[in-house]
Amino acid sequence: MNLLKITTRSATTGPVLEIFGDLDYAGAPELRELVAGLTLRPGQLLILDLGGMEFCDSSGITALIAARSHAHAARADIALAAVPANTLRILGIIGLDQVFTLLPDSGPAAGP
Amino acid sequence: MMCRSGRQQEPHDADGSALDAAFAAVLEDSAEELYENAPCGYLSTLMDGTIAKINATLLDWLGLEREAVVGRTRFTDLLTVGGKLYHETHFAPLLRMQGEVSGIALEVKQAGGGRIPVLVSSMVKHGSTGDPLLIRTTVFDARDRRAYEEELLRRRQAAEEARRQAEEARRQAEADRARLQDALAVLQRSLLPDTLAAVPGMEAAAYYHTASPDRLGGDFYDVFPVDAKRFAFFLGDVCGKGPEAAAVTSLTRYTLRAAALHDATPVAALSTLNTVLYDRYSAGGDPRYCTAVFGTLEPDPSTGRVTVRLASGGHPPVVVLRADGTADYVPTPGGLLVGILPSAPLAAATTVLAPGDTLLLYTDGLTEARTGEDRTSLYGEEALLAFATEHAGASPQAVIEALTGLLDGFGDGLDDDVALLALGVPASDHPTRTER
C-alpha cells in the first residue's frame, strides 16, 4: 500500500494536481474533496498528472470522473497526463480514453 | 563473622526479662479462667445429652443463665430445629460409632430469638472400665466464617451472572450476525437469477464467485426470453461493493429486463440503462456506474445456428470458443462505462454460434486476478484467451467448471467478485475432441 499524496501547482493553463501513490478506496475521497474545493474559471484546463500514481481501482476511476464533472460544470476542461500503462489499458477497456484528453506529461508546454 | 553473629545475640538477652514477664502473665491465667472465657464455647453433657457443665463464653452467646441450663436442658435443646434433626440423624450416631466428631456446622438458638452458626466438635470420655462417661463438646462461633462464605458465594454468583450475561451477549451477537448474513444472502440471490431461462437449441451455464460472504457483490448476469424468436442475456459489473453497489445492481438488472421488453436492440437496452443510471446518480453528483454486455440470441431452427447481437459499455470483450478448437475475442472497443455521461457511446458487435461453439462472458475479477509468486502480475486477457482455446469445443457447463477450477487456483490472488456466463450451441454429432 502506498499512501496517496497530492501536490497542487499552477500552470498558465490552470491548476495541475500531481498524484502519487495509490488512488484507491482509501485515497480517492482525498482527491474528490480536493477537486471539489478547486475554483476553476471557464476555459481553464485542470490537469491531473498521474505519472507518480502506482495503483488506481474503481474508486479512483470514480474520482477521475467526478473531477471531470466538476471541471465541466465550471465550463473548464480536464486532461490526464502521464497515465501509467496499466491504467491506460483499463481506461481503454471502459472507454474513458475517449472521454478524457490524454497528455504525455504536464509540463509547461502541455496543452490540449 | 563469628564475632558479629555473637554480638547480634546480645539484644535478645537484654530483652529477655521483659519477655519472661509477659509469659508469666499468660501463665497466671488459670485453667479455670481459660475454660470459662476461652474464645470458644465448652460444654460437657451426660451420655443422654443433659448439660452438666458449660462455660461463660457459650452462655454469653446463648444469652442464658447457668442455672437455667445446667441439669435442666440437653445439648440438642440449644440447637435450631434443623440442627436438632441433623444432630439426631448424623451427629449422635457418628459420635456413638467413632467416639468423636469434629467440625460439624450447626446452628444454636439465642434467647433473643437469634441464631448463631457454629462449628461443633465432640468427644466421648470413657471411664477406667471403658464405659462412656460423658461427652465433651467445643462450639466455635462461625458467624464471621459464614459471612465470609456467603460473601464468597455472592461473588461467585455475581461472577457467574456476569459470565452468563457475556455468554448471552455473545449468543445474541452471533444470532444478529447470522440474521444479517441470511439477509445478505437473500439480497444477493435477488440480484442473480435462480435459474437461467432454457433457450431452445442452446445450453447455458453460469457461476458467481463471491470475494467476501459479508459483502454484497456488484456483479450480475441474466438470461431471459424477449419474444417468440429471441432471448436476451446480460452480464456486468457495478463499480464498488456493499449495499450501495447492490442497490445499483438491482436497478441495473431490472432496468435491463424492462428495457429489453421495450426494445431488445442491444445498444438501445444499454442506452436506456445509461440514462436511468445517469439521471438517478451522476446527475446528482454521486457518480455510480457499471460496465455491461447486453446481447440477444436468435436461434435458427433450420440450421441450428444462433445469431448473437451484442453491445458493450466499458466491459472487457467476450470470448467465443469455436468447435474447431480455436477461440477469439469479439472486440467491442469504444463502449463507455454505463451511467457516467448523459449520452454514452456504446460498441456493438455481431457473431454467429454454430454447433459446438460457446460464447463466454466474464467480469474483470477474472482477468485482473493477481498471479505469480509475489502476486504482482495480472492474469490478463492473453492468458484467458489461451485458456479458452484449450477448452474450445467443450460444452458451456464444462467451460464454466474449468474456469471455476482456474478461479480456485488463484487463491488469495482473487480478491474481487467474478461472474461467468457461458452460452453455447451443443455439438450436433458430439465429435470426440482431439487433445492438443
Side-chain angles (χ1 to χ4, degrees):
Chain A
M1 294 296 118
N2 305 284
L3 278 183
L4 182 71
K5 185 168 162 280
I6 305 174
T7 61
T8 310
R9 64 182 168 89
S10 292
T12 50
T13 47
V16 177
L17 304 189
E18 289 176 319
I19 293 161
F20 301 91
D22 292 350
L23 190 58
D24 57 6
Y25 186 79
E30 188 181 334
L31 177 62
R32 289 183 70 165
E33 275 173 37
L34 207 153
V35 167
L38 277 184
T39 307
L40 293 168
R41 289 191 304 278
Q44 272 194 319
L45 176 66
L46 168 63
I47 297 179
L48 304 182
D49 187 330
L50 308 183
M53 186 178 74
E54 310 208 17
F55 176 75
C56 178
D57 72 356
S58 59
S59 309
I61 299 285
T62 307
L64 298 181
I65 293 167
R68 181 183 180 276
S69 305
H70 180 73
H72 285 196
R75 282 183 288 134
D77 209 345
I78 186 168
L80 305 180
V83 182
N86 189 45
T87 303
L88 195 58
R89 184 180 63 80
I90 291 170
L91 291 184
I93 293 173
I94 62 183
L96 281 184
D97 56 343
Q98 327 149 67
V99 169
F100 282 98
T101 303
L102 302 177
L103 305 174
D105 61 65
S106 61
Chain B
M1 292 293 275
M2 292 288 277
C3 293
R4 201 150 59 230
S5 67
R7 271 201 304 279
Q8 279 175 340
Q9 297 294 322
E10 285 166 18
H12 175 79
D13 292 338
D15 287 346
S17 56
L19 204 61
D20 289 347
F23 270 113
V26 172
L27 294 173
E28 275 168 25
D29 191 10
S30 71
E32 187 61 25
E33 167 71 9
L34 180 61
Y35 177 83
E36 286 299 336
N37 298 307
C40 64
Y42 283 119
L43 61 96
S44 304
T45 65
L46 304 181
M47 290 313 293
D48 69 354
T50 306
I51 295 172
K53 198 178 175 191
I54 183 165
N55 76 344
T57 302
L58 186 52
L59 285 170
D60 182 48
W61 290 348
L62 296 170
L64 296 174
E65 295 299 325
R66 193 179 302 272
E67 295 72 33
V69 176
V70 174
R72 294 172 182 266
T73 56
R74 297 174 187 225
F75 173 57
T76 50
D77 296 332
L78 305 180
L79 301 175
T80 58
V81 174
K84 205 173 286 184
L85 205 65
Y86 187 81
H87 186 275
E88 281 166 16
T89 55
H90 292 80
F91 195 99
L94 214 56
L95 186 60
R96 273 198 301 277
M97 213 159 60
Q98 304 180 159
E100 62 180 312
V101 175
S102 59
I104 301 296
L106 296 170
E107 280 188 328
V108 294
K109 295 182 294 187
Q110 289 178 296
R115 42 180 61 188
I116 303 177
V118 290
L119 291 175
V120 178
S121 298
S122 290
M123 190 178 274
V124 177
K125 184 189 179 186
H126 298 272
S128 52
T129 57
D131 295 335
L133 288 182
L134 55 89
I135 301 167
R136 286 168 170 162
T137 299
T138 57
V139 179
F140 285 93
D141 183 347
R143 278 177 293 196
D144 290 345
R145 179 194 166 119
R146 183 68 60 88
Y148 173 65
E149 284 171 348
E150 279 169 359
E151 180 61 20
L152 276 185
L153 190 64
R154 262 198 301 280
R155 294 267 176 91
R156 205 179 78 187
Q157 283 167 343
E160 276 174 2
E161 174 63 13
R163 195 187 54 75
R164 197 192 59 73
Q165 284 177 357
E167 176 70 11
E168 177 63 26
R170 192 185 60 75
R171 256 202 305 274
Q172 186 63 44
E174 267 179 15
D176 287 350
R177 187 180 153 79
R179 230 184 355 259
L180 186 62
Q181 269 191 346
D182 286 350
L184 287 179
V186 169
L187 282 176
Q188 181 77 71
R189 282 198 299 274
S190 83
L191 302 178
L192 297 171
D194 288 334
T195 53
L196 298 174
V199 184
M202 291 193 79
E203 271 179 35
Y207 178 72
Y208 194 98
H209 166 84
T210 307
S212 159
D214 289 348
R215 302 187 71 178
L216 292 165
D219 291 2
F220 58 90
Y221 61 81
D222 207 352
V223 179
F224 55 97
V226 172
D227 53 34
K229 291 191 300 179
R230 288 180 304 172
F231 282 74
F233 62 89
F234 57 77
L235 176 142
D237 181 359
V238 164
C239 168
K241 281 194 177 62
E244 296 88 352
V248 182
T249 307
S250 185
L251 178 62
T252 296
R253 180 167 180 226
Y254 295 107
T255 298
L256 283 177
R257 285 196 75 132
L261 297 181
H262 179 67
D263 181 354
T265 312
V267 167
L270 284 186
S271 294
T272 300
L273 176 63
N274 184 72
T275 303
V276 167
L277 288 184
Y278 182 82
D279 288 352
R280 170 68 182 80
Y281 294 106
S282 296
D286 177 25
R288 288 177 192 278
Y289 48 85
C290 67
T291 71
V293 171
F294 181 97
T296 55
L297 304 167
E298 196 170 339
D300 181 346
S302 62
T303 63
R305 295 158 79 94
V306 177
T307 302
V308 181
R309 292 185 177 84
L310 56 85
S312 168
H315 199 82
V318 304
V319 190
V320 183
L321 291 68
R322 298 294 181 188
D324 65 2
T326 61
D328 281 303
Y329 282 109
V330 180
T332 43
L336 183 65
L337 287 178
V338 182
I340 64 159
L341 292 185
S343 166
L346 297 162
T350 300
T351 190
V352 174
L353 300 180
D357 293 351
T358 292
L359 184 72
L360 172 66
L361 297 90
Y362 57 93
T363 53
D364 68 357
L366 170 59
T367 42
E368 301 289 319
R370 287 169 290 114
T371 58
E373 283 290 306
D374 52 359
R375 302 282 186 222
T376 51
S377 310
L378 295 178
Y379 181 65
E381 291 182 3
E382 267 180 45
L384 177 59
L385 189 60
F387 190 89
T389 307
E390 268 178 51
H391 294 86
S395 70
Q397 189 60 45
V399 171
I400 293 296
E401 277 168 18
L403 283 168
T404 305
L406 177 70
L407 292 178
D408 288 344
F410 288 145
D412 62 2
L414 183 61
D415 57 5
D416 199 1
D417 285 15
V418 176
L420 300 171
L421 176 62
L423 303 163
V425 181
S428 44
D429 51 353
H430 298 286
T432 311
R433 256 190 86 233
T434 318
E435 291 297 328
R436 44 188 76 233

